[in-house]
Amino acid sequence: MSQPLRVLQIVPSISLVYGGPSQMVRGFSQALAAAGAEVTIATTDSNGDVDEAPLDVPLATPVAEDNYTVYYFRCSPFRRYKFSLDLLRWLWHHARDYDIVHIHALFSPVSSAAAAVLRQRGVPYVMRPLGTLDPADLRKKKQLKRLYAALLEGPNLSGAAAIHFTSAQEAKVSERFGAKTPALVLPLGVSPLPPPPTQIDVHDRFNIPRDRPIILFMSRLDPKKGIELLLFALETLQQEGILFHLLMCGANPQDREYEQSIRERFEQSTVRAQTTLTGFVSGDLKASILQAADLFVLPSYYENFGIAVAEAMLVSLPVVISDQVHIWQTIDQSESGWVCTCDATSLAQQLRAALKDPDERQQRGHNAQRCAKEQYSWQAIAAQAIAAYQDMLGNRATAD
């Protein structure tokens, strides 16, 4: 009997306050383990960069979670950047215990340093950029990122066995900094949320009139998410007398100042009475909100995948997304929702169409669930990943 494939995943944090990337690594690990791999995660105890206490977890010791193992390390000396010298020391000594390593996040010091360690130790690795190679993202702190890439991420990308993109569009638009490394296009998966043991009445909880369709925004509050486009579009719909209630579920543990500015903008808006900002939600409340919502919206300026979109689709929620969310073509072709440009008028037009036609919303919600089950199954994604890992290892053995 052959030995199971030993896979190490490195990610700056798996705290759910960071949203999709952390959630993805947990789901991916569980699926890989179910497919027969021996999976370990190395991460930090980061639980927010500003005002939250670290995760209350054992440090530098194996923790069993859902058929995989996690090693947590103290964020030190740079908590703001989720850096850990202890993680890197551990990796230096244990890298060769694994067949392949999957690194999640670029331009993150612990991930960048981890890739450098793996190159020195001669262990193959895959890098997942999480949208950081998108030209729109690279424009932020452009000069600093160019320097960072020249010193670290360029060599890291060139030395990788593959670069993991979550859509063909992400692979197409991403900057490679001269690297000729092959692309591995592999979508993210979603798992059904367990039904809450006690159903939460979302209308009562947030005082939402029952005759108003609930528009759900459930993502990190970040400038790239197009929140100002959403505000302008909703103000237009309100002036037209279209009924709705916006539930905005999210926070930004890395930028509380921006989060507060969003709260203030909605409080000063004409749609303040039709809007509820809940902050970060999880568990039973999150599941109940997804079940109660009528429409999901994410008008991002750029989004390499959009795990929240797929999660909404899985519970039969039709979606309104921008054409910069890189799974928009799947949404369009499967008629799982409506696609707009990054323009408030276009967004208002698609929201208007969705809100005025409950029957069409229901049909597109059914389409969305079917699409999510077919396209974003963790079982299928894990099988593809393991096959890709084995090909990489086989190519490496041939080259050696």
Side-chain angles (χ1 to χ4, degrees), residues 206 208 212-218 227 230-231 234 243-249 266 271-278 295 297 351:
F206 298 111
I208 301 172
R212 298 196 173 187
I214 295 175
I215 301 173
L216 176 61
F217 175 99
M218 185 177 280
I227 297 172
L230 179 58
L231 177 57
L234 292 179
L243 296 179
F244 64 85
H245 193 97
L246 173 68
L247 268 181
M248 180 165 281
C249 305
F266 274 92
V271 298
R272 60 185 176 275
Q274 288 93 357
T275 302
T276 302
L277 282 77
T278 67
L295 188 65
V297 62
L351 287 171

Side-chain angles (χ1 to χ4, degrees), residues 116-228:
V117 167
L118 293 168
R119 288 206 315 278
Q120 292 180 55
R121 302 296 283 163
V123 178
Y125 61 92
V126 177
M127 300 199 78
R128 183 168 78 98
L130 280 70
T132 56
L133 298 180
D134 189 299
D137 197 75
L138 288 171
R139 283 194 289 271
K140 298 186 297 185
K141 302 179 181 179
K142 181 178 179 179
Q143 296 306 319
L144 179 61
K145 286 184 176 179
R146 285 288 170 184
L147 178 61
Y148 193 117
L151 295 175
L152 288 170
E153 295 303 36
N156 285 342
L157 290 169
S158 293
I163 306 172
H164 174 191
F165 298 109
T166 51
S167 67
Q169 181 70 7
E170 184 190 9
K172 179 180 178 181
V173 305
S174 290
E175 170 65 60
R176 312 289 179 92
F177 298 108
K180 304 301 182 183
T181 305
L184 168 64
V185 178
L186 199 64
L188 305 184
V190 285
S191 302
L193 292 173
T198 303
Q199 189 68 34
I200 299 170
D201 191 317
V202 171
H203 291 85
D204 286 348
R205 175 73 171 261
F206 298 111
N207 196 27
I208 301 172
R210 295 185 182 274
D211 64 341
R212 298 196 173 187
I214 295 175
I215 301 173
L216 176 61
F217 175 99
M218 185 177 280
S219 191
R220 185 164 51 95
L221 303 186
D222 185 275
K224 80 172 191 175
K225 302 292 183 177
I227 297 172
E228 76 283 359

Side-chain angles (χ1 to χ4, degrees), residues 14-24 220 253 280 307:
I14 55 172
S15 168
L16 294 182
V17 302
Y18 293 109
S22 299
Q23 179 179 326
M24 176 271 173
R220 185 164 51 95
F280 175 74
I307 192 70

